[in-house]
Amino acid sequence: MSSALTAGAGEAASPAESESLSVLDDLGALGAAIRQRTAAGHPPGTVLDLGGGTGVIAVPLARAGHLVTVLDQSPDALATLARRTAAAGVADRVTGLVHDLDSFDGLSLTADIVLCHRVLEYVDDPERTLTGARAALSNGGVLSIVCATRAGSILARTVAGRRDEALAIADDPRGRSGPTDQLQRRFEPAVLIALCESVGLRVTGRRGIGLIDELGGQQGKGNDLAIRSLLENVDAFVEVAPYLHLIAEARGS
């Protein structure tokens, strides 16, 4: 039976397979690594999804055979996760746990892949949470981090005509737009990379996310993928993308 990761080019993917493939595309270099692992004959791995909430990533990965543990501090989000996994037929491969990510220390959990997407902007102590994420990595494991950026947020608000917010983010030491901002901070790429290194991680890849969407323009053109790849991977564009995606591993692994 062909899985989402091993379907041949001539085969039509089922809706479930298409969803899994789309998520892997969204994961960039991490998605490519997952595909390579499967192509090499390795069994599906274990995934720890921090702040994974409703299972947008967890469910497609579970459909592809991975065992996924989702930690989130919202019981409502995890209730949605439970309904989604049941509907997808993967409830036996996804575990949801309520946990405060501010106090996450690894919890003696171990995973081949740890996802820390849109978490470090919200927690009180990103260094502590990132240290816990590193502790949960298995030997040779991979950590995927996605965070909002200061420059990307300034550009997005400027393009949208929200100039006062853009200036506030530029002036605030933590990159916040004001007291009602739900984010605790926005990162500059160099600062986030330095944070990773300070907790014993080695960054092996980075890309920007969302710049093509912020800039708008006509969709569906034949060169969309080429432009998206350019904006995600050229350093000058990575610096001003709304989100930064880092791939890291534990030093010495």
Side-chain angles (χ1 to χ4, degrees):
M1 178 180 294
S2 176
S3 75
L5 302 185
T6 59
E11 298 176 294
S14 69
E17 289 176 330
S18 295
E19 182 185 29
S20 297
L21 288 168
S22 176
V23 166
L24 290 177
D25 289 339
D26 289 343
L27 291 177
L30 179 59
I34 293 173
R35 285 191 172 99
Q36 289 169 3
R37 176 184 174 90
T38 303
H42 294 290
T46 53
V47 180
L48 175 60
D49 190 357
L50 302 179
T54 58
V56 172
I57 295 178
V59 170
L61 290 183
R63 278 175 162 160
H66 302 277
L67 296 176
V68 186
T69 299
V70 178
L71 261 61
D72 201 288
Q73 45 203 44
S74 169
D76 289 341
L78 291 177
T80 300
L81 171 69
R83 292 191 295 270
R84 179 174 282 176
T85 58
V90 295
D92 60 329
R93 292 200 289 274
V94 180
T95 301
L97 301 174
V98 177
H99 191 76
D100 184 357
L101 296 179
D102 278 311
S103 60
F104 178 67
D105 60 3
L107 294 179
S108 299
L109 297 170
T110 303
D112 301 315
I113 299 166
V114 176
L115 308 178
C116 187
H117 293 183
R118 304 302 316 280
V119 170
L120 300 180
E121 308 99 306
Y122 293 93
V123 296
D124 292 333
D125 187 348
E127 182 176 359
R128 178 175 182 176
T129 301
L130 196 55
T131 299
R134 182 198 181 282
L137 280 175
S138 64
N139 186 34
V142 176
L143 175 61
S144 176
I145 304 164
V146 175
C147 288
T149 70
R150 181 198 294 265
S153 297
I154 293 170
L155 178 61
R157 283 162 176 76
T158 300
V159 170
R162 295 154 60 185
R163 309 294 171 83
D164 290 343
E165 285 184 40
L167 290 172
I169 292 171
D171 292 339
D172 186 80
R174 292 190 295 173
R176 302 183 73 221
S177 62
T180 61
D181 196 334
Q182 294 184 345
L183 274 63
Q184 295 287 339
R185 65 193 60 79
R186 290 175 176 83
F187 288 92
E188 294 162 357
V191 171
L192 183 57
I193 291 172
L195 178 62
C196 290
E197 293 173 345
S198 74
V199 302
L201 292 164
R202 182 172 69 90
V203 174
T204 60
R206 73 170 196 163
R207 66 177 181 131
I209 300 176
L211 184 57
I212 191 171
D213 302 310
E214 292 295 345
L215 295 177
Q218 295 293 321
Q219 300 297 312
K221 300 297 183 182
N223 57 5
D224 270 3
L225 289 178
I227 291 296
R228 185 177 296 274
S229 178
L230 176 72
L231 296 181
E232 287 186 353
N233 295 292
V234 173
D235 286 346
F237 299 126
V238 171
E239 293 289 331
V240 294
Y243 302 100
L244 179 66
H245 183 195
L246 298 181
I247 302 297
E249 59 186 24
R251 280 204 299 267
S253 65

